[in-house]
């Protein structure tokens, strides 16, 4: 699987082990549309996909090793691992939009850029 596929799969963007656990519905729960832009590295220029946030936990139905959390203040961190590839992102969500940065790696190849989010 290409690094581009891993980056496409982040959520989000979005590692959960460093965040406090969610304790119930958050003001950020619901569907979000994500746009990732590559600024450095050999990844595709952009990626677009949707994630869901429930009780502050970021998820995507097809990604088992996606870990992501949103705190009550809107700070978001997420990571994904697919085989030997890894990507992580962090940033902040507001009421209906968000933004942050991401990095990905497979072997010696690295990519990085920024992401934006819109509530659906």
């Amino acid at each position: 699987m290409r690094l581009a596929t891993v980056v496409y799969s982040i959520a989000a963007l979005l590692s959960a082990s460093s965040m406090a656990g969610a304790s119930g519905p958050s003001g950020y729960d619901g569907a979000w549309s994500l746009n990732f832009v590559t600024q450095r590295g050999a990844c595709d220029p952009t990626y677009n996909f949707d994630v869901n946030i429930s009780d502050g936990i970021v998820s995507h139905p097809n990604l088992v090793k996606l870990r992501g959390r949103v705190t009550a203040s809107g700070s978001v961190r997420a990571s994904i691992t697919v085989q030997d590839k890894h990507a992580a992102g962090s940033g902040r969500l507001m009421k209906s939009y968000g933004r942050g940065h991401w990095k990905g790696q497979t072997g010696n190849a690295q990519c990085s850029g920024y992401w934006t989010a819109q509530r659906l």
Side-chain angles (χ1 to χ4, degrees):
M1 186 177 286
R2 294 179 29 180
L3 176 60
T5 303
V6 173
V7 172
Y8 174 80
S9 301
I10 293 179
L13 126 294
L14 294 175
S15 173
S17 61
S18 66
M19 301 296 291
S23 61
S26 78
Y28 309 99
D29 285 1
W32 290 79
S33 176
L34 305 177
N35 180 47
F36 290 82
V37 176
T38 300
Q39 293 176 298
R40 293 189 173 152
C43 294
D44 291 338
T46 62
Y47 309 92
N48 298 287
F49 62 99
D50 298 338
V51 296
N52 189 61
I53 300 174
S54 180
D55 295 334
I57 298 171
V58 180
S59 65
H60 186 283
N62 298 325
L63 300 173
V64 176
K65 293 191 177 186
L66 168 68
R67 293 183 167 193
R69 297 217 185 219
V70 181
T71 66
S73 67
S75 291
V76 60
R77 293 175 93 51
S79 66
I80 184 166
T81 301
V82 177
Q83 298 174 347
D84 64 340
K85 293 134 187 89
H86 178 79
S90 64
R92 179 163 307 278
L93 295 179
M94 280 53 105
K95 183 177 181 177
S96 60
Y97 67 96
R99 63 179 169 236
H101 292 89
W102 63 267
K103 290 183 180 182
Q105 181 174 341
T106 180
N108 292 330
Q110 297 183 359
C111 294
S112 63
Y114 69 90
W115 60 265
T116 59
Q118 287 286 144
R119 187 186 290 268
L120 296 176

